[in-house]
Amino acid sequence: MGRTRDRRIATIDGLRGIAIVLVMWYHVWQISWQSAVVPFVNVSLQPLAETGFVGVALFFFISGFVLLLPYAQAHLTRTAPPSLAHFFGRRALKIVPSYVLSIAVLLAVGYQTYPSVAAAMRDLAFHILFVHDWFAISDRSINGVYWSLGVEVQFYLLFPLLAPLFVRRPLLVTVSLVTIANAWRIWALLANHYFIEQRLDVLPAYLDLFAAGMLGAYAYAAIALRRPSLAKRRWIFSALMLAGFAGLWLLCASCYAQRYDADWPHPWVVQTRSLLALACLSAALGSLFAARALQRVLANRVLLFLAAISYNLYLWHQPLARELVRLRIPPYATPDPHSDRTWMLTFELVALPLAVGVAALATYALERPILRLRSWRPPPRAASTAAERI
């Protein structure tokens, strides 16, 4: 359970790789409209392309998992959990440098402009404090993907209060968080407010996904430490994993089928986000003890690489893609490039490798060296936990 290259933990990295693929696919599809039909076999993956925003939900699930895992292990083995200083220091070094760099670059190149210095300072302050998602005026400013970082960091502040309660009463806390999330989303939908999208994209609306991740981590630790005989029944967990992925596909397909409905996808989000959390839990927990062959498929080298650079890939893929269109790279001769199928494909063949290259550079030249700072290295006991690797 504790090896840093343990395939069971690597499957969580594989899920992170899937999450960034979905998000990046969705955002690039919004620009290119490139068909997602697999050639020669005529299989359509269009539901994944047009509902790839569920990848963010998967990210939140994974965050809940990796944050709670060392606390669950400590509770079950009666050892000391990570200190608050280590927890917040590690999170700050992981999140802030790449985030600040991307803000600085995007403002410097004029990707975001403001009518006045006061407006710019207000927007920048909201982003630096990670409260930009609270206000409609700053919710999608600078870089559209930043909203989720507000949700993530706000959960970090809440987590030290939740973790001690969760490891003592995991089911009770899970049910409470699921109830709060659903109550918030129902209120947002019934209020019929102009800013419903923003109301559905703040922390309370995602608490069930974080809770599902935390429950998955607790269950993983409890099975590995206290029920090793259950962990050997790989066929059960293989079936659970496959059922989870089937559930994710069916949920995406149902969302895609409703894409022409009024106010889409907000009603679907309200109705199904907890089901999405359940599907994530099934796929993740199943993968941790599934058959080795299934684990190797999920934890393949491509997904592990994308997982390693996922944070910077998340930060950079959308503005890079939009700048390519603004600069007409690749060039298009018609007023509407979406009428040119060659451009659609060529654009994706340029935008996706560029985003991966920039993200890899930011990860290995900035993020990783900072995380290796001696003063914030994880203590030996926790060095190999998923929370410190992912």
Side-chain angles (χ1 to χ4, degrees):
M1 183 172 178
R3 298 192 303 274
T4 59
R5 304 307 296 178
D6 192 316
R7 188 176 293 110
R8 293 172 301 177
I9 296 300
T11 61
I12 301 300
D13 289 316
L15 288 174
R16 186 181 290 274
I18 290 175
I20 191 59
V21 167
L22 289 174
V23 172
M24 187 165 59
W25 192 359
Y26 172 63
H27 286 147
V28 174
W29 170 83
Q30 284 183 312
I31 298 173
S32 72
W33 296 5
Q34 171 64 34
S35 171
V37 176
V38 180
F40 307 115
V41 294
N42 199 32
V43 173
S44 177
L45 300 179
Q46 204 65 32
L48 297 181
E50 297 193 33
T51 65
F53 50 81
V54 302
V56 178
L58 182 53
F59 274 130
F60 290 148
F61 169 87
I62 294 169
S63 289
F65 183 99
V66 298
L67 290 178
L68 189 82
L69 183 56
Y71 293 85
Q73 292 171 330
H75 176 75
L76 293 170
T77 58
R78 291 182 171 81
T79 56
S83 67
L84 283 178
H86 176 72
F87 174 81
F88 284 116
R90 181 75 177 183
R91 303 276 73 76
L93 290 177
K94 169 70 175 178
I95 295 292
V96 175
S98 294
Y99 176 63
V100 171
L101 174 64
S102 68
I103 290 177
V105 171
L106 294 179
L107 292 181
V109 301
Y111 187 78
Q112 171 74 52
T113 60
Y114 299 97
S116 66
V117 173
M121 295 303 295
R122 177 189 60 195
D123 195 45
L124 188 58
F126 286 167
H127 280 81
I128 294 300
L129 294 173
F130 292 97
V131 297
H132 49 281
D133 60 316
W134 292 1
F135 309 100
I137 196 171
S138 58
D139 183 43
R140 294 297 195 273
S141 65
I142 306 181
N143 185 349
V145 304
Y146 285 165
W147 69 269
S148 65
L149 297 184
V151 174
E152 188 82 17
V153 171
Q154 291 156 33
F155 183 73
Y156 292 164
L157 298 177
L158 180 64
F159 179 79
L161 301 176
L162 283 177
L165 299 175
F166 197 98
V167 296
R168 289 173 174 81
R169 297 288 187 270
L171 293 179
L172 177 61
V173 177
T174 297
V175 170
S176 299
L177 294 177
V178 170
T179 301
I180 292 171
N182 280 279
W184 180 277
R185 292 195 295 264
I186 292 171
W187 165 78
L189 185 64
L190 294 179
N192 197 26
H193 196 277
Y194 179 75
F195 301 116
I196 183 174
E197 182 176 6
Q198 181 212 349
R199 300 286 179 89
L200 290 175
D201 280 344
V202 292
L203 177 59
Y206 285 98
L207 286 175
D208 47 352
L209 282 154
F210 286 109
M214 295 165 71
L215 184 63
Y218 188 91
Y220 167 52
I223 292 171
L225 293 171
R226 295 187 174 180
R227 297 290 301 276
S229 60
L230 178 59
K232 295 178 181 179
R233 299 185 178 182
R234 295 188 177 275
W235 66 270
I236 296 177
F237 292 99
S238 297
L240 186 64
M241 172 185 168
L242 294 175
F245 279 112
L248 288 171
W249 166 258
L250 292 174
L251 288 169
C252 289
S254 73
C255 183
Y256 177 73
Q258 300 173 32
R259 65 193 183 281
Y260 297 120
D261 293 353
D263 300 322
W264 180 88
H266 307 316
W268 179 87
V269 165
V270 174
Q271 296 164 11
T272 62
R273 190 172 280 169
S274 287
L275 292 177
L276 188 62
L278 182 61
C280 291
L281 175 59
S282 177
L285 184 59
S287 74
L288 293 165
F289 301 105
R292 298 295 188 187
L294 289 177
Q295 291 180 334
R296 283 192 291 269
V297 170
L298 180 55
N300 64 74
R301 291 185 178 183
V302 173
L303 287 181
L304 293 182
F305 170 69
L306 292 175
I309 66 170
S310 61
Y311 177 48
N312 284 288
L313 190 51
Y314 185 76
L315 291 176
W316 288 105
H317 75 277
Q318 190 177 60
L320 286 171
R322 294 191 181 280
E323 283 298 285
L324 287 175
V325 174
R326 186 183 68 83
L327 297 171
R328 302 175 76 94
I329 303 175
Y332 50 91
T334 61
D336 180 11
H338 302 113
S339 62
D340 185 345
R341 293 186 178 275
T342 300
W343 177 85
M344 294 181 189
L345 179 59
T346 306
F347 171 77
E348 293 199 347
L349 292 177
V350 172
L352 296 177
L354 176 63
V356 169
V358 171
L361 178 62
T363 299
Y364 294 109
L366 176 68
E367 179 185 307
R368 291 299 177 89
I370 289 176
L371 288 175
R372 287 197 294 267
L373 290 175
R374 183 174 299 276
S375 59
W376 290 108
R377 284 182 180 174
R381 182 191 60 79
S384 59
T385 66
E388 300 308 329
R389 296 193 306 103
I390 301 176

